[in-house]
Amino acid sequence: MANNNRELIEKRRTFAIISHPDAGKTTLTEKLLLYTGTIQLAGSVKGKKTDKHAVSDWMEIEKQRGISVTSSVMQFNYNGYCINIIDTPGHQDFSEDTYRTLMAADSAVMVIDASKGVEAQTRKLFKVCVMRNIPIFTFINKMDREARSPYELLEDIENVLGINTCPMNWPIGCGRDFKGVYDFSKKEILAFTANNGQREVEMDELTIDSPDLDDRLGETLAQTLRDDIELLEGAGDEFDLEKVQSGKLTPVFFGSALTNFGVEPFLAEFLRMTTPPLPRKTVTGEVDPFDDSFSAFVFKIQANMNKAHRDRIAFMRICSGKYDKTMEVYHVQGNKKMRLSQPQQLMAQDREVINEAYAGDIIGVFDPGIFSIGDTVCSPGKKLQFEGIPTFAPEHFARVRLKDTMKRKQFVKGITQIAQEGAIQIFQTLGGGMEEVIVGVVGVLQFEVLEYRLNNEYNVDIVLENMPYELIRWIEDDSIDPKTLNLTTDTKRIQDLKGKHLLLFTSEWNITWALEHNEGLVLTDFSKN
Ligand code: G4P
């Protein structure tokens, strides 16, 4: 590989940013973009009051509900690094989407609201982060507001995620009394000064031994800090870069994105601890990012991002080599050579056509309907295939009824496209067509997105009828005829769009019954694409 490519790839950092709704993901992202000069104005850009929306909040439903439904990608340069941030849905009902996005990232930044800790409704979202075994960096935000005890916050993360924490800095007070953080490696205090209520920050450096420590922090906070440092330096998990990189230990940073406090030190440490693009697993081995030849996989498909364009974009993560706009690539699953159409990098609503991209980068290409999630594209003659992205078992099921049967054609097109994007899963009765469509979702909010998008993008109104099923299982052996299975009367036999057979159950008990009454039957709760 040309040395130049190696250097460019080594500079790349690709991470996903994940948080509870309202924890401050947008604010943090914007501050990062601000440092790099990518945008001129942050924070207030989104302000509901100013009625403008964050650079990354572009979807209509997202604006309405105030949640991040789908992910967007941003690239910027900072200090010689080329950084790709992938935004993830901020709601656990879209945790499958988050999982797919994490497949494209080499690490994740988790933003937590200091007053809330790990909230029950986002546990699932954070857990998918751990499932990927990638490095997780935690930013505990909003220290300028009343916060929970930092010890409790760390305990929360450890309990919920099942990984160890290692504080990189330690907060001194919070809310009105927030004085800054103590940086363990520099052994210095970064002081926070709320300026005339203007929420501007002045940072200066102070050590634990400074004679004016008590004056600056107040006696109580200064003593608490001394005690905390003594306690933490003696106990707690020691920092271990190897454990961080294997996702077993999360470095934790306290700060305040809104006031821009602790964001830059966080970025600097993050860049120091993260790696360039990592090797990726294929069915037959690993692909080295520095390999000369190009390879990428599709992790996300999104139709109608821009209603005016009526387009469909496939997002790909480049895993090795360099992509050049003029080059021919091989689409493994389609067994076809092709040129990628209108390759682009997206900055929220703005799209920029690109001429080249490197391992670690995310590109969006125009998809005429040929790509599926998990597909591989590579240099012709390379013939490799990345490991598939699993499909999660949906947990809620509904039968879809069309309000106006004249609109059947648009309905089938719409629901199929939305299913191909992975936003929902659709099933049919055995051997049936689209006469009876059953929709399965991981989170109920996805039902709302389906209804909204069918109406908004395809002009189709539907009614969703809840179904009493709670569990779904794929029948592992394709050759089994589901009709021959001995099942309870309330178990339903269905198939997915690829013709794979599944069973819908009303309870665990029925699964056990099926397994006990059908020798050799193997059921799985996910499907490898
Ligand atoms: P999200 O993307 O994770 O959903 O969160 P977002 O950044 O939109 O932040 C949610 C709210 O929290 C916003 O206030 C934002 O200004 C505020 N916020 C973010 N970081 C901090 C921080 O460090 N300290 C304090 N005090 N607040 C913070 P909002 O009133 O909901 O919106 P806005 O009207 O201010 O935009």
Side-chain angles (χ1 to χ4, degrees), residues 129-156:
C129 219
V130 181
M131 277 162 66
R132 272 276 289 131
N133 288 323
I134 52 175
I136 303 173
F137 296 82
T138 307
F139 188 85
I140 300 191
N141 191 29
K142 302 197 187 181
M143 288 310 301
D144 61 312
R145 289 225 186 122
E146 284 312 308
R148 288 175 55 193
S149 133
Y151 293 104
E152 257 178 53
L153 289 164
L154 296 189
E155 206 180 304
D156 234 25

Side-chain angles (χ1 to χ4, degrees), residues 182 186-189 205-214 216-217 222 225-226 229 233:
Y182 175 76
K186 291 198 176 116
K187 300 198 182 298
E188 273 172 7
I189 291 162
E205 287 153 12
L206 183 72
T207 73
I208 192 83
D209 304 316
S210 299
D212 59 344
L213 189 74
D214 283 34
R216 295 278 297 277
L217 305 182
L225 179 64
R226 287 189 201 99
I229 292 172
E233 284 186 336

Side-chain angles (χ1 to χ4, degrees), residues 184-346:
F184 285 107
S185 63
K186 291 198 176 116
K187 300 198 182 298
E188 273 172 7
I189 291 162
L190 295 181
F192 170 84
T193 322
N195 205 346
N196 301 328
Q198 291 298 306
R199 297 181 165 274
E200 279 167 19
V201 163
E202 267 175 28
M203 273 201 282
D204 66 351
E205 287 153 12
L206 183 72
T207 73
I208 192 83
D209 304 316
S210 299
D212 59 344
L213 189 74
D214 283 34
D215 286 346
R216 295 278 297 277
L217 305 182
E219 260 175 52
T220 319
L221 283 177
Q223 194 49 46
T224 310
L225 179 64
R226 287 189 201 99
D227 295 345
D228 283 346
I229 292 172
E230 202 183 320
L231 187 76
L232 287 157
E233 284 186 336
D237 280 286
E238 250 184 71
F239 179 76
D240 179 336
L241 192 58
E242 219 168 279
K243 283 191 186 161
V244 172
Q245 291 181 344
S246 58
K248 294 191 176 73
L249 179 73
T250 176
V252 180
F253 301 80
F254 292 85
S256 161
L258 186 67
T259 57
N260 219 344
F261 182 81
V263 178
E264 202 162 17
F266 168 70
L267 182 60
E269 283 295 289
F270 172 80
L271 291 171
R272 195 175 65 80
M273 292 182 213
T274 46
T275 57
L278 293 168
R280 293 280 170 159
K281 281 191 187 145
T282 71
V283 187
T284 45
E286 277 192 343
V287 164
D288 178 0
F290 299 106
D291 193 306
D292 256 341
S293 54
F294 164 79
S295 66
F297 69 88
V298 177
F299 68 96
K300 182 179 175 62
I301 291 174
Q302 175 82 54
N304 305 330
M305 277 177 40
N306 184 336
K307 247 181 112 182
H309 292 161
R310 285 240 157 244
D311 53 3
R312 189 164 125 147
I313 307 277
F315 290 86
M316 296 178 185
R317 145 92 194 208
I318 302 180
C319 299
S320 67
K322 174 187 175 181
Y323 170 72
D324 175 328
K325 194 173 109 175
T326 57
M327 76 198 243
E328 206 171 40
V329 298
Y330 174 64
H331 174 215
V332 176
Q333 280 75 4
N335 191 18
K336 254 199 183 130
K337 277 193 201 164
M338 60 188 295
R339 256 174 243 285
L340 297 179
S341 182
Q342 300 166 27
Q344 44 197 291
Q345 241 145 19
L346 287 101

Side-chain angles (χ1 to χ4, degrees), residues 19-27 46-49 141-142 144-145 199 256-259:
S19 84
H20 304 276
D22 264 351
K25 184 176 60 165
T26 312
T27 313
K46 183 199 168 195
K48 287 153 197 131
K49 296 149 210 133
N141 191 29
K142 302 197 187 181
D144 61 312
R145 289 225 186 122
R199 297 181 165 274
S256 161
L258 186 67
T259 57

Side-chain angles (χ1 to χ4, degrees), residues 43-54 57 60 63:
S44 58
V45 175
K46 183 199 168 195
K48 287 153 197 131
K49 296 149 210 133
T50 59
D51 206 29
K52 285 186 195 160
H53 293 278
D57 277 8
E60 200 58 38
K63 288 181 210 154

